[in-house]
Amino acid sequence: MIINFKLTPSLINIFILLIFISLSAKADNGAMPAEQAMAVDYMDALTHQKFKKLNHYYNRDSIFFDKTANRKYIGKKDILYFLKRVQQGVLEYKFTIDHMFNSGSLVVMIGNYYYKGPGDLFGKPGKIINLAIPSVTMLTLDMKKRRIKEHQDLLDYQTMSDQLAIQ
């Protein structure tokens, strides 16, 4: 049996449309890479003081390193103690991501940390301060165990200092 198939302009348009739809679905499926999704979830737990959830992200080998301030905390216990101490009394704390990319298990986020809270930690006792600190946060992940191997911050402390000076 021979089928006589004639390509008409309308059939060609339908084929082009179907090809375009299938290619665009593959190119932009809206799915965030698993590493980036884990990083966003972790940052949400960090900035919303979800310590029970953070407890699952760290283990005894996890490292939290503020490279700019040269402060390093190693292990779940020390990291959580530090975070609870610095977030005590905080009214607002968030991280907005302006740009994010990853190379395997390394996730890099460029954005700003926003802080509103007591000025005691910054030499401004009795005052409520507002800070917007430009930063780069790099996370090295263990995707199999869903753990943070290393959280490294590079914060613009000069901008923070300038903001504190006028408050």
Side-chain angles (χ1 to χ4, degrees):
M1 178 157 127
I2 298 176
I3 298 175
N4 191 3
F5 190 71
K6 186 174 182 182
L7 286 177
T8 64
S10 61
L11 279 177
I12 292 172
N13 288 340
I14 290 172
F15 284 132
I16 291 172
L17 181 62
L18 288 173
I19 289 170
F20 176 73
I21 290 171
S22 69
L23 288 177
S24 66
K26 289 179 184 175
D28 182 23
N29 61 9
M32 182 182 288
E35 294 84 0
Q36 291 182 21
M38 181 177 155
V40 168
D41 187 59
Y42 164 74
M43 293 301 289
D44 177 69
L46 177 71
T47 59
H48 288 93
Q49 301 178 11
K50 298 177 183 175
F51 296 111
K52 190 172 184 177
K53 189 172 191 177
L54 284 173
N55 187 56
H56 295 288
Y57 274 116
Y58 302 125
N59 64 22
R60 66 179 178 194
D61 298 320
S62 296
I63 299 169
F64 190 100
F65 185 30
D66 181 347
K67 191 172 177 87
T68 317
N70 200 28
R71 300 293 309 250
K72 186 183 283 192
Y73 302 91
I74 300 172
K76 178 192 307 193
K77 182 181 172 187
D78 287 346
I79 295 169
L80 290 172
Y81 176 77
F82 163 71
L83 293 175
K84 287 176 183 176
R85 185 175 55 83
V86 298
Q87 291 185 18
Q88 192 170 21
V90 170
L91 302 171
E92 187 178 335
Y93 178 47
K94 64 182 176 178
F95 181 71
T96 58
I97 301 169
D98 296 328
H99 188 70
M100 177 171 53
F101 59 92
N102 70 293
S103 177
S105 64
L106 173 66
V107 179
V108 178
M109 295 173 283
I110 301 166
N112 287 280
Y113 281 102
Y114 293 94
Y115 172 88
K116 180 179 181 179
D120 300 22
L121 290 173
F122 303 97
K124 304 274 186 176
K127 286 188 154 190
I128 298 296
I129 59 167
N130 290 289
L131 299 171
I133 308 167
S135 66
V136 175
T137 294
M138 297 174 289
L139 302 174
T140 305
L141 311 174
D142 179 340
M143 292 303 293
K144 289 181 183 174
K145 295 180 181 176
R146 295 199 47 82
R147 300 274 193 255
I148 302 297
K149 288 182 179 179
E150 184 172 6
H151 173 145
Q152 188 173 144
D153 283 327
L154 297 166
L155 303 171
D156 182 351
Y157 282 114
Q158 183 59 53
T159 296
M160 183 181 85
S161 183
D162 294 345
Q163 291 173 26
L164 286 170
I166 60 173
Q167 294 189 53

